[in-house]
Amino acid sequence: MEKATHWLNRALLGHNPTMRSIIQDSTHLYYHASFPDHSLESPIPPASAPSSAADPVPNNDDTEALVRHYLNLGPNLTDLYEQWSKADANFKKKAARFAGVRVLKQDAWEALVGFICSSNNNIIRISQMMAKLCNHYGPLIGYVGMTPYHDMPSPSVLADPKVETHLRQLGFGYRAKYLYQTAVLVSQQHEPGWLDSLRNPESPVLGQKPSVAGEMQPRGREGYRVAHDALLALQGVGPKVADCVCLMGLGWGEAVPVDTHVWQIAQRDYKFSKGKHSSLTKATYDAVGDRFRSLWGKEAGWAHSILFTADLRAFSERLAVKLEANEIKRESEDLKLESQLESVVAAGKVIKREVDDGEPKRDRSIIMLESTRIKRRRRL
């Protein structure tokens, strides 16, 4: 069994503002909840060390439900992969080796902030920016070991006029202005809960019952189009960022974010390289999304994310290393089996000779048992 090596620590807010630590191996998902002592003041910046007080465990611990919700464990991936594979031969070819890819159900505000930070950026720097935002402006949730963890700061906190200058000092560049202006728009020009009002009703926040989201159309359901257009009014939000937030923060599965990498996939595998779609214009952006929605339906964004993952060099290289390791392991197992086979065959000859010399017939059954037990495994 593949061993788990890295814990994912997240400040996931269910009924309790609690640190949830998650890890998985090849067969199981494990989680741990660290409940803060609410009788203690949460210092910002955090104290140099965690409190020695024991973590109280509340009666309404919703950790398992929250983990299932956040990791989007409800849908049956086998059924979805089969559906997408039947509709698209390219998906069937590329995605088979990338089983288990899921789209998280992130908090809408967190997703919006994260994707504004993603503009002309890489994963490492985006993660660093999100950590700086939480550490400097977010409420302390708790500690894992000696490391403090903070929740995302609210829009009203980031709407302070001093925030933009400070974020520039922290290395956010032009994104500092977008984050501040968007925080002002969300907190001062919209009602509380406005972002969540744009959610897909079939994918509500934890604890709410789902409801019907309407008929699927070539360009997506009406609620998705409304949410997408509303997000475009925010600072630092273009079509791709709006689709990312719709998909991962608002639950609109038909949202298909199209960046240069996805455009390359569309050109190479879906014939978007000629005629009026020879460059990534607004019309081409919409056409790529429409094409993928026609193939994969209302979870087109999920299927697109799998192809995106399969095409990334970092993931393909990781898969190549894993496949090479598995091949070495199989070769080692084959050599071991060959050695066992030679030993047993030799033993069988001795036993058969003894049978010919008049030994009891039960020895013949020994030969059959050995032959069955060491049946050689076919190489994949």
Side-chain angles (χ1 to χ4, degrees), residues 136-322:
H136 285 272
Y137 294 102
L140 177 67
I141 297 298
Y143 291 81
V144 175
M146 298 294 290
T147 304
Y149 283 86
H150 295 74
D151 189 21
M152 274 292 299
S154 66
S156 59
V157 170
L158 295 184
D160 187 307
K162 299 177 182 178
V163 165
E164 181 181 344
T165 300
H166 187 215
L167 291 182
R168 288 185 181 275
Q169 294 171 350
L170 293 175
F172 282 70
Y174 65 87
R175 304 169 196 85
K177 179 180 179 180
Y178 292 154
L179 290 171
Y180 164 67
Q181 291 181 339
T182 289
V184 170
L185 288 172
V186 172
S187 64
Q188 299 179 11
Q189 297 188 20
H190 291 286
E191 295 294 325
W194 169 73
L195 270 178
D196 278 324
S197 73
L198 301 176
R199 292 190 66 87
N200 178 359
E202 292 180 359
S203 180
V205 296
L206 181 65
Q208 293 186 5
K209 293 183 178 181
S211 58
V212 178
E215 293 294 327
M216 184 66 183
Q217 302 294 330
R219 302 216 45 213
R221 288 164 288 189
E222 182 180 358
Y224 156 63
R225 302 309 314 171
V226 169
H228 189 269
D229 290 344
L231 292 171
L232 289 176
L234 302 176
Q235 294 297 314
V237 178
K240 188 201 78 171
V241 169
D243 271 327
C244 288
V245 177
C246 282
L247 176 63
M248 303 179 197
L250 297 174
W252 291 105
E254 65 262 50
V256 179
V258 181
D259 61 2
T260 54
H261 195 89
V262 174
W263 170 231
Q264 290 170 1
I265 294 174
Q267 288 179 299
R268 185 190 65 215
D269 300 331
Y270 296 93
K271 300 179 181 180
F272 271 90
S273 57
K274 297 180 180 180
K276 63 181 180 180
H277 296 313
S278 59
S279 61
L280 186 54
T281 62
K282 174 63 167 61
T284 303
Y285 184 102
D286 292 339
V288 171
D290 293 346
R291 170 63 171 152
F292 288 163
R293 279 185 283 271
S294 71
L295 282 173
W296 305 320
K298 67 178 184 179
E299 296 294 349
W302 194 337
H304 135 283
S305 299
I306 296 167
L307 286 188
F308 179 84
T309 302
D311 212 60
L312 289 178
R313 179 185 299 178
F315 285 95
S316 60
E317 288 178 349
R318 185 186 306 174
L319 178 63
V321 170
K322 185 175 181 180

Side-chain angles (χ1 to χ4, degrees), residues 118-132:
S118 73
S119 174
N120 295 317
N121 220 338
N122 58 58
I123 293 176
I124 294 176
R125 289 197 66 226
I126 297 167
S127 299
Q128 291 172 346
M129 288 181 177
M130 295 296 284
K132 289 176 181 178

